[in-house]
């Protein structure tokens, strides 16, 4: 039966209206999405332009940033950057790193938070190797010295467990120099030695020369001077003294 229109609307509701999107709207939406994708993933605005290293005590921030720049991290898009992969690479390359966290800071900065393993030095005197803790105290004799810098006392003075031989700053100085010589400059360190004072530290290189450091001066400043020597193409035959300018 025919039902009057006003009653049909009350019973069955209003009929559905036709839904129509114009071609101009579709093109506009696609254009906006494409533009947004370009800005986010292909525009240089979101490329990594700055690397900040925090919480490092032994490893030099400049060494870490140089390492990453050499691997073209600054050409990476910050959204597409695999932060876990960056952390894994750093932890594998620097054995003294215990953990790494990499954070994105928009628009173009990454922040790297380093957690280092405790610093230690092996002290060699009278033919015996002794392990020193982070504050320079003798823990005891040690057989396995793998991965630790060895400092030889050329005076061969006797020591005992519990003696404090050096300061904490000396321990940190040796570890900083040791990591940078190998990782940044690619030098093979045979060992280190001190004579009458710990203010001077000799680093013996496997190619036959030694580098004399002043442990009272910032190690980064001295390592930068050494880096410039190599950049200038100079050949070190016997030794280089980094505490002297020129």
């Amino acid at each position: 039966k025919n039902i009057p229109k006003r009653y049909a609307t009350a019973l069955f509701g209003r009929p559905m209206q036709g839904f129509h999107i114009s071609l101009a709207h579709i093109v506009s939406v696609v254009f906006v999405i494409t533009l947004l994708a370009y800005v986010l993933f292909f525009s240089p605005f979101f490329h990594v332009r700055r690397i900040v290293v925090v919480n490092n005590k032994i490893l030099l921030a400049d060494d870490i940033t140089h390492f990453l720049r050499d691997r073209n991290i600054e050409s990476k898009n910050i959204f597409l950057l695999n932060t876990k992969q960056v952390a894994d690479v750093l932890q594998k390359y620097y054995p003294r790193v215990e953990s790494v966290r990499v954070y994105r800071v928009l628009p173009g900065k990454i922040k790297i938070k380093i957690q280092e393993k405790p610093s230690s030095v092996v002290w060699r005197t009278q033919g015996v190797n002794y392990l020193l803790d982070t504050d320079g105290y003798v823990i005891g004799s040690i057989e396995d010295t793998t991965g630790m810098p060895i400092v030889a006392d050329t005076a061969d003075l006797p020591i005992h467990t519990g003696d404090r031989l050096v300061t904490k700053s000396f321990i940190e100085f040796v570890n900083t120099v040791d990591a940078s010589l190998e990782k940044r400059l690619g030098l093979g360190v045979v060992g280190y030695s001190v004579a009458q004072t710990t203010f001077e530290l000799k680093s013996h290189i496997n190619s036959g020369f030694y580098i004399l450091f002043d442990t009272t001066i910032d190690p980064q400043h001295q390592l930068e001077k050494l880096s410039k020597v190599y950049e200038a193409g100079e050949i070190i035959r016997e030794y280089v003294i980094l505490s002297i300018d020129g």
Side-chain angles (χ1 to χ4, degrees):
K1 295 179 179 181
N2 294 328
I3 302 175
K5 186 176 180 180
R6 64 177 182 275
Y7 296 117
T9 300
L11 289 172
F12 304 111
R14 293 183 178 275
M16 292 184 62
Q17 301 293 323
F19 184 74
H20 174 71
I21 300 177
S22 68
L23 180 61
H25 281 94
I26 296 174
V27 171
S28 298
V29 171
V30 171
F31 175 77
V32 170
I33 293 174
T34 303
L35 180 62
L36 183 61
Y38 171 79
V39 171
L40 291 178
F41 302 114
F42 300 102
S43 168
F45 184 72
F46 287 108
H47 281 182
V48 176
R49 296 187 301 276
R50 188 181 174 200
I51 304 168
V52 176
V53 181
V54 298
N55 207 44
N56 56 307
K57 301 184 183 304
I58 301 300
L59 297 175
L60 297 178
D62 282 352
D63 286 359
I64 296 173
T65 54
H66 274 105
F67 171 76
L68 293 175
R69 286 190 182 115
D70 287 345
R71 282 146 186 81
N72 298 318
I73 195 171
E74 289 183 331
S75 66
K76 307 292 185 183
N77 177 275
I78 198 166
F79 295 111
L80 300 179
L81 181 69
N82 188 332
T83 56
K84 184 180 184 305
Q85 185 180 51
V86 173
D88 290 344
V89 167
L90 287 174
Q91 196 163 358
K92 183 177 180 180
Y93 189 74
Y94 291 100
R96 72 168 297 105
V97 171
E98 189 166 46
S99 65
V100 185
R101 297 291 299 273
V102 181
Y103 303 92
R104 298 181 182 90
V105 182
L106 298 179
K109 181 172 77 173
I110 59 170
K111 180 180 177 182
I112 299 173
K113 187 175 182 179
I114 301 285
Q115 181 65 45
E116 299 174 348
K117 297 175 183 176
S119 300
S120 59
V121 161
V122 174
W123 190 270
R124 178 175 292 166
T125 185
Q126 298 182 344
V128 181
N129 293 324
Y130 296 89
L131 180 64
L132 307 187
D133 66 13
T134 56
D135 293 313
Y137 289 92
V138 180
I139 297 176
S141 60
I142 184 174
E143 296 294 333
D144 184 11
T145 60
T146 305
M148 292 181 284
I150 300 175
V151 179
D153 176 12
T154 58
D156 267 342
L157 297 177
I159 62 175
H160 305 90
T161 300
D163 290 349
R164 188 176 194 184
L165 303 185
V166 296
T167 62
K168 182 176 182 177
S169 61
F170 179 86
I171 298 289
E172 293 177 347
F173 187 100
V174 173
N175 279 270
T176 296
V177 166
D178 191 61
S180 196
L181 288 178
E182 177 188 357
K183 297 300 184 182
R184 180 174 179 180
L185 297 173
L187 297 177
V189 179
V190 177
Y192 301 87
S193 66
V194 295
Q196 300 298 325
T197 175
T198 56
F199 294 154
E200 291 185 345
L201 176 72
K202 281 185 180 180
S203 174
H204 302 273
I205 308 303
N206 58 7
S207 52
F209 66 92
Y210 69 84
I211 304 166
L212 185 62
F213 290 92
D214 185 336
T215 60
T216 66
I217 300 176
D218 181 15
Q220 183 171 358
H221 173 68
Q222 297 178 77
L223 289 164
E224 287 174 355
K225 289 172 62 176
L226 181 62
S227 180
K228 290 178 181 178
V229 169
Y230 277 95
E231 289 173 2
E234 297 185 32
I235 299 176
I236 304 173
R237 302 192 182 280
E238 296 183 25
Y239 60 86
V240 58
I241 302 175
L242 298 177
S243 60
I244 299 177
D245 293 325

